[in-house]
Amino acid sequence: MSYTVGPVDMIPVGEALKVESDDSGAKEDIAIFHAEDGNFYALQDECTHEVASLSEGWIEDCEVECPLHASRFNLKTGKVLCLPAYVDARTYKVEVIDGMLELHF
């Protein structure tokens, strides 16, 4: 399944957008990140350690730091990079098609 999120310029570099499951039809909320490398990445929005929104975290390079307990995740792979989280985040495919962000889940 896919969902058209909107134009690419709606997420500035170094920022994220939470896509609500109620709006997209996905099984969970998904965070789309516009990384410093210029690419877009998508992870499950909820941290795997505790209930916290990764879209509200700090983005540096291709990592996001959870705003609650500072676990970090690789945006490309979803791999957890430091405790207290120890479970990787689910990744989703996001594409740019004709200037629009397309999320696949």
Side-chain angles (χ1 to χ4, degrees):
M1 240 180 128
S2 66
Y3 173 73
T4 301
V5 178
V8 294
D9 60 2
M10 71 185 299
I11 308 175
V13 173
E15 299 291 324
L17 174 73
K18 180 179 178 179
V19 176
E20 302 278 344
S21 60
D22 291 344
D23 296 334
S24 68
K27 293 181 181 175
E28 65 184 337
D29 294 343
I30 299 171
I32 300 178
F33 302 91
H34 193 172
E36 293 173 4
D37 67 0
N39 292 311
F40 292 91
Y41 302 99
L43 300 176
Q44 70 183 70
D45 186 57
E46 187 174 299
C47 179
T48 62
H49 170 246
E50 290 230 4
V51 178
S53 175
L54 292 178
S55 64
E56 296 175 9
W58 297 275
I59 303 164
E60 188 172 336
D61 298 322
C62 278
E63 298 177 4
V64 61
E65 182 178 306
C66 176
L68 191 57
H69 292 117
S71 291
R72 289 190 337 267
F73 298 87
N74 182 296
L75 294 178
K76 294 178 183 181
T77 64
K79 295 282 183 198
V80 68
L81 303 172
C82 71
L83 297 172
Y86 58 88
V87 175
D88 297 339
R90 279 181 296 288
T91 61
Y92 294 90
K93 182 179 177 182
V94 61
E95 294 183 288
V96 176
I97 301 173
D98 296 327
M100 301 293 280
L101 292 169
E102 190 78 18
L103 177 63
H104 301 275
F105 49 88

